[in-house]
Amino acid sequence: MAGRMLHTMIRVGDLDRSVAFYTKLLGMKELRRRDVPDGKYTLVFVGYADENEQAVIELTYNYGVEKYEMGTGFGHLAVGVPDVAAACEAVRAGGGKVTREAGPVKFGTTIIAFVEDPDGYKIELIQRG
């Protein structure tokens, strides 16, 4: 399975403060923002280049949550693959754990799935090209 790292998601308690840190202090650019009122969250992607060129950071603000314990602040790694369903089957065939089968993301159309590594870290598989 050939793939490429796309983004790392972290949960934040103050979206404006976090965007300012990554853009003003670290020199990243705000690449895109998506507010999802029905899901009660906002996503902001920041990075040095577009996700088509290199990995970026997804800042996730869940409405009403101001603080996370460090252990719950990490969300998942994301890897772009050409066929999410086939990637899930390869993980399963290799003895890995698929925690969310391939299908469209909630409130969208992008095909995703989630698997876990041996330590329990979540990895999102995102269908690309």
Side-chain angles (χ1 to χ4, degrees):
M1 173 174 77
R4 181 178 74 78
M5 293 298 295
L6 297 177
H7 66 258
T8 298
M9 182 274 264
I10 56 173
R11 294 177 179 93
V12 300
D14 181 328
L15 189 58
D16 292 334
R17 180 185 65 199
S18 294
V19 170
F21 174 83
Y22 286 99
T23 59
K24 294 179 181 173
L25 300 183
L26 296 182
M28 294 183 185
K29 296 176 185 167
E30 181 174 324
L31 302 171
R32 67 183 187 278
R33 181 181 291 247
R34 180 171 177 230
D35 188 41
V36 184
D38 290 340
K40 298 182 180 177
Y41 66 88
T42 302
L43 307 177
V44 175
F45 290 79
V46 295
Y48 297 107
D50 187 75
E51 205 169 5
N52 291 327
E53 298 174 40
Q54 63 180 238
V56 300
I57 298 172
E58 172 188 340
L59 304 173
T60 299
Y61 171 71
N62 293 296
Y63 296 4
V65 180
E66 296 178 4
K67 185 177 181 182
Y68 290 93
E69 297 297 319
M70 185 55 70
T72 60
F74 179 79
H76 63 266
L77 300 175
V79 177
V81 297
D83 183 335
V84 170
C88 286
E89 288 308 312
V91 168
R92 190 178 285 111
K97 184 176 181 182
V98 176
T99 60
R100 187 219 193 257
E101 295 295 332
V105 67
K106 194 172 186 178
F107 307 110
T109 58
T110 303
I111 304 300
I112 68 165
F114 276 86
V115 299
E116 282 185 7
D117 79 358
D119 294 300
Y121 287 103
K122 304 273 190 254
I123 301 168
E124 180 181 15
L125 303 174
I126 302 175
Q127 195 150 305
R128 293 285 199 227

